[in-house]
Amino acid sequence: MNEFVYIKDAEGYVTKKLQSEVLPDDKILSEKEYLKKSGLAAYEKKFGHGGARENAGRKQKFGSPLKFQIRVTQEEKDFLTYAREKHLDYAALMQK
C-alpha cells in the first residue's frame, strides 16, 4: 500500500513521503497542518485555485510586434512620421 503522509523532519522541514519511508524521528502531520507550515495554504487562499493567477505572464505590447530594428536617416524617419500622421496605406503605395 503506497500511501503518502505529511511529515515534519528533525530539521523542521515539512514534506510529503511514502508511509514506508517515514523515519522514527519524523513527526506525522495532518494535511491541513502541512499546508499551513509549508505556506501552500496561503498560496491557495491568495490565488484561489492553487496556481498562478489566470493570464499571468508576459503580454505582447502590440498586436504585431516588430521582428527586427533598422537604422534610418533623419529624412527617412521624418517620412515615416508623416506617413503615420496621414494614415498612408503602404499596401496601396506598393501597388503603384
Side-chain angles (χ1 to χ4, degrees), residues 11 72-73:
E11 296 175 355
V72 295
T73 64

Side-chain angles (χ1 to χ4, degrees), residues 19-32:
Q19 198 165 12
S20 59
E21 297 176 350
V22 175
L23 301 174
D25 57 340
D26 291 342
K27 179 183 174 191
I28 296 178
L29 303 173
S30 69
E31 184 177 5
K32 188 175 179 180

Side-chain angles (χ1 to χ4, degrees), residues 6-90:
Y6 303 102
I7 60 114
K8 181 177 178 182
D9 64 14
E11 296 175 355
Y13 294 104
V14 292
T15 55
K16 181 176 164 180
K17 280 188 179 179
L18 285 172
Q19 198 165 12
S20 59
E21 297 176 350
V22 175
L23 301 174
D25 57 340
D26 291 342
K27 179 183 174 191
I28 296 178
L29 303 173
S30 69
E31 184 177 5
K32 188 175 179 180
E33 257 184 310
Y34 167 76
L35 290 173
K36 186 175 180 182
K37 291 187 185 289
S38 67
L40 292 174
Y43 188 75
E44 286 187 19
K45 185 186 290 183
K46 184 174 183 180
F47 296 117
H49 48 77
R53 287 187 335 269
E54 192 173 326
N55 296 324
R58 293 179 176 234
K59 306 284 186 290
Q60 286 187 353
K61 189 170 184 179
F62 305 104
S64 56
L66 295 175
K67 301 285 185 215
F68 56 89
Q69 293 179 342
I70 58 171
R71 292 180 185 247
V72 295
T73 64
Q74 185 61 43
E75 185 177 297
E76 292 167 325
K77 186 176 179 182
D78 293 340
F79 172 75
L80 290 172
T81 304
Y82 172 81
R84 287 184 181 134
E85 287 173 356
K86 300 298 180 184
H87 303 289
L88 293 179
D89 185 7
Y90 297 110

